[in-house]
Amino acid sequence: MRVGVFGTGVVGQTLAAKITELGHEVMVGTRDVEAAMARTEPGPAGGQAFSEWAAQHSDVKVGTFAEAAAHGEVLFNATNGQGSIPALEMAGAGNLGGKVLVDVSNPLDFSGGMPPSLFVANTDSLAEQIQRAFPDARVVNSLNTVNANLMVDPGQTAGGEHTVFVSGDDQSAKDEVTRILRDWFGWKHVIDLGDITSARGPEMYIALWLRLWLGLGTSMATIKVVT
Ligand SMILES: NC(=O)c1ccc[n+]([C@@H]2O[C@H](COP(=O)([O-])OP(=O)(O)OC[C@H]3O[C@@H](n4cnc5c(N)ncnc54)[C@H](OP(=O)(O)O)[C@@H]3O)[C@@H](O)[C@H]2O)c1
């Protein structure tokens, strides 16, 4: 399958590397290919300097957001929350139409320092803003409750099996993403929370996740739903 991954940070790198390893044809999207390939420092959340990562993953194509969007049959949005709608505008509504868009972004606002606040919450969410801005994209919010490594390898927690969520208006898109989570990444517990408004919960959970990360000193905190 051809997959477009928007984002050159640690999430984009991790998703692209794993999906390529599985044998799919991946293109990572960025605002400016030349600038990304010249980057010698990792992004704010870690990962590798993009130039170094790209050199080690020469089987992954790198293009503009529009080129990655045109390339992908399935798309992942792993861009900075404040840059997500601008990035998707650059990708082009025509390139997103009819495609499953797995939205991994969180609406973090770092302007007030650490920990970040959310620039949208409670009565709206970034996932909803994206779905409203691109009504023909089949947006499924998922994976944004765990760190990048757990997204593609959920089995590495010391605490055992845990849960990931899908939110979206298009049931067949959620079914497709659930299959991807299970078959590509190894998630055993996927809960369908409902329509795209249900993405508010996972996005607001990040406020707790940030405190767990700061308090426990680990980014591996995750959710296990028991009833
Ligand atoms: N880090 C994690 O473990 C984790 C876990 C869960 C969810 N998330 C969420 O996943 C997303 C990606 O996180 P990350 O740490 O990998 O990367 P990031 O640093 O948050 O985002 C990097 C990407 O955002 C793009 N970008 C930044 N500002 C932009 C703007 N104004 N317009 C268009 N594009 C812009 C960058 O484009 P260029 O390539 O052109 O620089 C780059 O591709 C975020 O929304 C984050 O909250 C992260």
Side-chain angles (χ1 to χ4, degrees):
M1 182 178 263
R2 292 190 314 279
V3 180
V5 176
F6 307 136
T8 53
V10 63
V11 178
Q13 292 177 15
T14 306
L15 290 169
K18 176 66 180 185
I19 297 167
T20 303
E21 190 186 301
L22 294 169
H24 301 287
E25 291 173 52
V26 179
M27 185 182 289
V28 168
T30 178
R31 283 170 288 190
D32 179 335
V33 175
E34 207 175 314
M37 296 302 256
R39 213 167 280 155
T40 55
E41 296 293 332
Q48 287 176 273
F50 192 73
S51 58
E52 184 185 300
W53 182 88
Q56 287 173 13
H57 296 85
S58 51
D59 41 357
V60 180
K61 296 186 178 79
V62 182
T64 61
F65 286 129
E67 287 166 339
H71 167 87
E73 296 162 278
V74 168
L75 305 170
F76 286 77
N77 173 38
T79 59
N80 170 284
Q82 285 175 316
S84 286
I85 288 182
L88 294 169
E89 279 166 353
M90 286 180 241
N95 288 325
L96 306 178
K99 294 181 185 174
V100 171
L101 174 62
V102 186
D103 172 39
V104 179
S105 66
N106 276 313
L108 300 181
D109 176 0
F110 290 91
S111 61
M114 285 293 285
S117 58
L118 303 180
F119 63 77
V120 57
N122 198 25
T123 54
D124 198 4
S125 61
L126 179 54
E128 288 166 83
Q129 291 182 343
I130 291 171
Q131 184 64 86
R132 285 198 300 272
F134 303 97
D136 295 333
R138 301 160 67 207
V139 179
V140 179
N141 178 256
S142 190
L143 292 173
N144 52 331
T145 52
V146 291
N147 86 2
N149 294 323
L150 286 179
M151 289 178 190
V152 301
D153 186 8
Q156 60 180 293
T157 51
E161 293 179 2
H162 51 121
T163 311
V164 74
F165 307 97
V166 290
S167 299
D169 289 339
D170 183 320
Q171 189 60 49
S172 65
K174 286 191 289 190
D175 293 345
E176 172 70 1
V177 174
T178 300
R179 189 190 65 74
I180 286 172
L181 295 171
R182 189 188 61 219
D183 296 352
W184 293 10
F185 303 152
W187 283 94
K188 294 182 184 162
H189 304 286
V190 182
I191 294 182
D192 182 342
L193 292 176
D195 69 13
I196 196 71
T197 66
S198 68
R200 296 171 194 176
E203 289 187 7
M204 289 192 286
Y205 159 76
I206 295 311
L208 172 58
W209 184 92
L210 286 161
R211 293 295 178 163
L212 292 171
W213 169 55
L214 293 170
L216 301 177
T218 173
S219 63
M220 299 291 273
T222 179
I223 300 171
K224 179 174 184 171
V225 174
V226 291
T227 54

